[in-house]
Amino acid sequence: MSNVDEYYTEILRLVKQAGSIVREKIYQHKDVLTKSCDVDLVTEWDQKVEKLLIDGISSRYPDHRFIGEESTSSGQKIELTNAPTWIIDPIDGTMNFVHGLPYICISVALLINKITEIGIVYNPILEQLFTARKGQGAFLNGAPIHVSNEKELHKALVMLETGTSRDPEKLKIVLQNITLLLPHVHGIRSFGAAALNMCMVALGGVDASIEFGIHAWDVAAGDLIVREAGGVSIDPAGGPFDVMSRRTLCASSMELAQQLSKILIQYYPVRD
Ligand code: IPD
């Protein structure tokens, strides 16, 4: 058993344990706090799930590092080094969780030497476990998945999130992008959990997913799952994907990704 095999077994066990908490709490009353603005939400369960995952890994692998949504929410700059680093979103789709909308997931990626080795996205409400290991394909509940292979923009179903920022400049660009894209595609969807949106591309349920302003924890696992499912994950301006850039465009084919990138008005948030 390689080290990564062992890490994978351990994180799957912890993610399933965390999933039981999320499943139990989703339809109960929650106290809700806000972070960067009034619609950037957090609950005690986001914090508890993140702690469970970090404590579980660090007790076995004390030299591993973490970039977790809730442990970095106090605003300190995050740093990605070559050390084995777990990038964690304990509940992606916190607003859905608060409302009891079962489109939420736990998203965890392991990067070693800045290369993603493991990606796990788990929706414990709908029992959808998306997994990928570098070079070994992508799976939903153990069965292989593949992107749609769609290449034509006018047949594409596209996920485009508005995000949680209410910065007027960003909102203006998001709305312009919806107006620009809509006449050229089959449709636009916005379900509220970036990691799951990427898994929907991996599954072939949508053909692309785009967002400006997400963080590393929203996209690190989804990036590997999409690529292992035969799709592409790039920067929305057409260059290589950068997990710290807070910009994502993934698609069923490079042809589709490049057509989308040519239409989009670009937005460059402050990097993670
Ligand atoms: C959010 C979700 C949402 C996206 C936001 C993210 P969180 O993550 O992924 O879909 O639009 O940009 O912040 O805060 O629920 O983990």
Side-chain angles (χ1 to χ4, degrees):
M1 209 186 195
S2 76
N3 284 349
V4 179
D5 288 339
E6 195 191 303
Y7 304 152
Y8 182 70
T9 306
E10 185 57 18
I11 193 65
L12 262 187
R13 188 183 69 75
L14 290 165
V15 164
K16 287 190 179 155
Q17 210 179 319
S20 308
I21 301 177
V22 175
R23 194 184 307 117
E24 188 194 323
K25 300 298 169 192
I26 183 168
Y27 300 121
Q28 297 183 6
H29 169 81
K30 307 146 197 102
D31 292 325
V32 181
L33 299 172
T34 58
K35 297 191 287 185
S36 60
C37 69
D38 286 355
V39 293
D40 187 7
L41 310 181
V42 63
T43 70
E44 65 182 298
W45 304 108
D46 299 65
Q47 292 155 344
K48 285 187 171 143
V49 165
E50 184 160 313
K51 186 168 175 346
L52 182 153
L53 297 172
I54 294 180
D55 288 354
I57 289 291
S58 48
S59 65
R60 284 190 68 148
Y61 311 111
D63 57 331
H64 285 199
R65 302 183 65 153
F66 300 91
I67 296 175
E69 175 169 21
E70 306 315 334
S71 15
T72 49
S73 65
S74 45
Q76 70 269 38
K77 199 72 191 157
I78 59 179
E79 196 196 356
L80 178 62
T81 67
N82 285 341
T85 301
W86 296 89
I87 303 188
I88 300 174
D89 192 339
I91 302 181
D92 183 37
T94 299
M95 184 173 288
N96 290 348
F97 179 66
V98 166
H99 285 263
L101 175 66
Y103 191 82
I104 56 172
C105 61
I106 298 162
S107 173
V108 182
L110 173 66
L111 278 67
I112 303 177
N113 294 320
K114 301 194 179 88
I115 307 281
T116 310
E117 295 285 344
I118 293 173
I120 296 175
V121 171
Y122 179 39
N123 179 340
I125 319 300
L126 302 183
E127 273 307 343
Q128 294 176 321
L129 176 66
F130 294 91
T131 54
R133 298 267 309 269
K134 181 166 67 78
Q136 297 185 23
F139 301 85
L140 167 58
N141 297 338
I145 53 173
H146 203 278
V147 295
S148 67
N149 287 334
E150 186 56 64
K151 294 182 175 56
E152 296 182 56
L153 186 63
H154 71 278
K155 290 187 186 158
L157 187 57
V158 178
M159 290 275 198
L160 196 151
E161 291 288 339
T162 50
T164 46
S165 160
R166 291 297 177 262
D167 169 50
E169 188 208 336
K170 185 191 166 197
L171 280 186
K172 190 172 153 211
I173 292 178
V174 170
L175 295 175
Q176 282 174 323
N177 278 332
I178 293 173
T179 311
L180 284 170
L181 274 181
L182 195 54
H184 298 286
V185 296
H186 259 181
I188 294 179
R189 301 288 183 266
S190 189
F191 292 168
L196 270 181
N197 292 349
M198 297 171 91
C199 290
M200 294 303 130
V201 176
L203 190 58
V206 299
D207 305 299
S209 175
I210 302 162
E211 188 169 348
F212 297 111
I214 38 73
H215 289 275
W217 44 81
D218 298 308
V219 292
D223 160 62
L224 181 67
I225 294 169
V226 166
R227 289 186 288 111
E228 288 295 329
V232 298
S233 171
I234 64 170
D235 179 82
F241 171 72
D242 173 352
V243 72
M244 307 299 271
S245 72
R246 304 189 55 207
R247 299 158 46 82
T248 176
L249 192 176
C250 63
S252 51
S253 65
M254 188 52 94
E255 289 90 335
L256 180 60
Q258 294 294 346
Q259 289 171 76
L260 285 163
S261 82
K262 287 195 180 76
I263 293 180
L264 292 172
I265 298 176
Q266 300 295 319
Y267 177 74
Y268 291 88
V270 177
R271 293 172 60 80
D272 270 335

